[in-house]
Amino acid sequence: MDALYADLAAVGPYGVHPGHALITMVEPHPGHEYAYNRWYEDDHYIAGAMAMPWIFAGRRWVATRELQLLRYPERSAVARPVTAGCYLSTYWVTEGRYDAHMKWTVGINKRLHRDGRVYQGRTHVFTAFQDHAATVYRDGAAGPRDFHALDHPYAGLVLEVIDADGPEQRAELLEWLRTRRLPRRLAGSPAAMVTVFRPTPLPADRMAYVKQVEGVGTRLTLLWFLQEDPRDGWTTHFADLGADIERSGLGRVELVAPFIPTVPGTDGYVAELR
């Protein structure tokens, strides 16, 4: 079996572009916050993600209660209530390796479940594999690239989810975001870049506790990588992202949610979730 690894390494794409992402927002059940954090960080982040083929970067983020209360819109199609989902994990998958990775991830998660290494005291609020659609930079060629984004010590992240009315409208929305809205919003902001992704359906043999992806064909997921705490300048730069989209007539914002990075190896912020 081990000999196959040498054969596999010799074929297929092996670039550094984040062609795909796993973006998963999860809510630990009340009373399970510490146990969930330790399980995810000490076991699942590694065995259920980073040790898998073709995931080449990962980062965990957390929303304290103060950050949860900044979210909008109140009636969100993504998070019900809008404060649900206090942990966010983001992973980059090598371009062109989505199918191979999915085969492995389904297999390993079945094994983890069988071996009792899947924590049940949590709910998947927003979990999807996604295809990269665009990256827009504030400073042009200066600074980290998108493939650095999960390793660079960014101080915060804003998750924005936008729904268009249909696939054709989504294509128009993406072009408007890429060429007009994002360059304008990034200028002078604490965000160094925005990555844009399109969700893909989960395989039919996914684990039963993860619901099928909504909005395939109409949804865009944006990750704003911030050089400052998202609370600094929130009102100036991020509180009106929904109005921006509404004025455009191209879609509607279903979630704007700020996060800060977790501190690996600690239970920092767990006491501030409720």
Side-chain angles (χ1 to χ4, degrees), residues 17-245:
H17 179 62
H20 321 276
L22 170 58
I23 301 171
T24 174
M25 188 169 69
V26 172
E27 178 73 11
H29 296 169
H32 291 255
E33 294 85 358
Y34 283 93
Y36 167 79
N37 187 55
R38 291 274 43 88
W39 164 77
Y40 197 97
E41 189 167 282
D42 296 346
D43 189 6
H44 200 62
Y45 177 82
I46 300 167
M50 294 302 297
M52 293 192 199
W54 308 115
I55 280 187
F56 68 88
R59 192 83 179 268
R60 291 188 74 215
W61 313 83
V62 61
T64 63
R65 188 62 180 173
E66 182 182 5
L67 290 167
Q68 295 167 34
L69 294 175
L70 294 176
R71 294 180 181 183
Y72 63 90
E74 184 176 356
R75 296 175 64 87
S76 168
V78 175
R80 305 180 186 91
V82 71
T83 52
C86 55
Y87 282 105
L88 180 73
S89 296
T90 50
Y91 304 95
W92 291 165
V93 179
T94 301
E95 185 173 29
R97 292 294 191 172
Y98 177 81
D99 291 340
H101 174 76
M102 288 304 297
K103 288 182 174 63
W104 187 284
T105 193
V106 169
I108 198 66
N109 276 286
K110 287 182 177 179
R111 181 182 180 186
L112 291 168
H113 193 274
R114 183 178 65 244
D115 293 346
R117 289 173 62 182
V118 174
Y119 195 86
Q120 300 296 335
R122 95 284 198 205
T123 298
H124 281 264
V125 177
F126 178 69
T127 293
F129 282 88
Q130 316 227 5
D131 289 338
H132 180 260
T135 300
V136 181
Y137 297 99
R138 183 191 61 200
D139 303 324
R145 303 292 86 191
D146 52 13
F147 48 85
H148 300 128
L150 302 184
D151 297 311
H152 187 78
Y154 284 113
L157 177 142
V158 174
L159 169 69
E160 181 182 12
V161 181
I162 308 173
D163 281 344
D165 290 332
E168 292 184 4
Q169 291 84 352
R170 185 177 72 172
E172 185 179 357
L173 171 64
L174 175 61
E175 182 64 12
W176 176 75
L177 289 170
R178 186 181 64 81
T179 61
R180 298 179 59 188
R181 190 245 199 167
L182 293 179
R184 175 173 57 83
R185 299 292 307 223
L186 282 168
S189 84
M193 74 176 83
V194 181
T195 57
V196 186
F197 293 90
R198 295 180 290 249
T200 60
L202 290 169
D205 56 351
R206 71 191 185 279
M207 301 308 296
Y209 53 79
V210 181
K211 66 180 181 180
Q212 187 53 272
V213 176
E214 300 171 344
V216 174
T218 59
R219 180 164 286 177
L220 292 173
T221 305
L222 284 65
L223 302 177
W224 299 69
F225 289 92
L226 313 184
Q227 294 174 313
E228 301 175 5
D229 187 299
R231 288 163 286 201
D232 299 336
W234 178 259
T235 301
T236 303
H237 297 289
F238 300 105
D240 64 342
L241 292 179
D244 229 14
I245 300 298

